[in-house]
């Protein structure tokens, strides 16, 4: 297909509708939902930051710590990290983090009971969701398939 043929075809094709359809299907795909949930788990595990880049700290945290002195002793006894919040103490929260995709959005959710329990000790408002970097990773993951499907549609 020549550039001119492609140009003529895009003028006559409902490319925006096709683009939205492809995006919607990809946002609902298991692969993208797993990637989105994993990005949240990894962010908490490795940095202890919320989606705005703020350090997550319990309400009883002392000094520059993420936890109270009592919690630090308990976590050290379990061999768990104490230098940042992970949300991984019991595993209930991490195991329940998942992505829900629709034709227009993808959002991160977790077991409501776990979130409620956690919110008694820490501000969970911006705990789950997407950083700008997460969005870039997801776009890079879906970009090749978008291009392939649009080109295929136009041929």
């Amino acid at each position: 297909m020549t550039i001119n043929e492609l140009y003529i075809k895009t003028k006559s094709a409902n490319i925006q509708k096709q683009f939205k359809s492809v995006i919607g299907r990809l946002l609902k795909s298991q692969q993208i939902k797993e990637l989105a949930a994993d990005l949240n788990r990894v962010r908490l595990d490795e940095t202890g930051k919320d989606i705005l880049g703020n350090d997550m700290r319990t309400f009883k945290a002392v000094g520059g710590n993420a936890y109270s002195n009592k919690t630090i002793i308990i976590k050290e006894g379990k061999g768990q990290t104490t230098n940042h919040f992970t949300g991984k103490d019991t595993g209930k929260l991490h195991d329940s983090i998942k992505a829900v995709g629709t034709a227009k959005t993808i959002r991160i959710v977790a077991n409501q009971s776990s979130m409620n329990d956690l919110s008694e000790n820490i501000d969970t408002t911006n705990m789950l969701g997407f950083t700008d970097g997460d969005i870039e990773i997801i776009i890079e993951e879906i970009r090749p398939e978008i291009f392939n499907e649009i080109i295929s549609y136009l041929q």
Side-chain angles (χ1 to χ4, degrees):
M1 180 180 305
T2 68
I3 297 287
N4 192 42
E5 290 170 333
L6 181 62
Y7 174 74
I8 291 168
K9 196 151 191 139
T10 57
K11 281 183 71 175
S12 63
N14 190 348
I15 196 75
Q16 289 180 345
K17 184 177 179 181
Q18 182 64 19
F19 182 78
K20 288 177 184 178
S21 173
V22 171
I23 294 289
R25 184 179 50 74
L26 291 172
L27 291 180
K28 293 187 280 185
S29 74
Q30 192 62 31
Q31 175 188 353
I32 297 305
K33 291 191 297 187
E34 287 175 11
L35 172 62
D38 285 346
L39 288 169
N40 274 263
R41 286 186 203 100
V42 168
R43 178 178 35 79
L44 289 173
D45 284 349
E46 294 181 1
T47 69
K49 295 188 182 295
D50 67 15
I51 61 172
L52 302 177
N54 300 315
D55 289 329
M56 297 191 67
R57 298 168 34 95
T58 61
F59 297 136
K60 294 181 180 178
V62 178
N65 297 319
Y67 299 102
S68 69
N69 289 334
K70 179 180 176 185
T71 301
I72 290 172
I73 292 168
I74 293 169
K75 288 179 77 57
E76 285 175 343
K78 293 179 179 180
Q80 297 176 344
T81 187
T82 60
N83 62 347
H84 65 270
F85 173 81
T86 63
K88 201 174 181 177
D89 296 339
T90 66
K92 278 177 42 179
L93 175 69
H94 268 247
D95 293 344
S96 75
I97 293 174
K98 66 180 182 177
V100 177
T102 69
K104 294 183 179 182
T105 63
I106 188 166
R107 62 188 177 91
I108 303 298
V109 297
N111 176 281
Q112 195 58 49
S113 173
S114 295
M115 291 296 285
N116 289 343
D117 291 348
L118 195 55
S119 68
E120 293 176 8
N121 296 310
I122 195 165
D123 181 5
T124 60
T125 307
N126 295 309
M127 186 171 79
L128 301 176
F130 300 103
T131 66
D132 290 343
D134 294 340
I135 293 169
E136 289 177 25
I137 290 169
I138 292 170
I139 288 170
E140 287 305 311
E141 185 68 25
I142 65 176
R143 184 186 316 268
E145 193 162 346
I146 292 170
F147 286 150
N148 289 339
E149 292 216 19
I150 298 298
I151 295 298
S152 178
Y153 174 76
L154 294 173
Q155 292 179 339

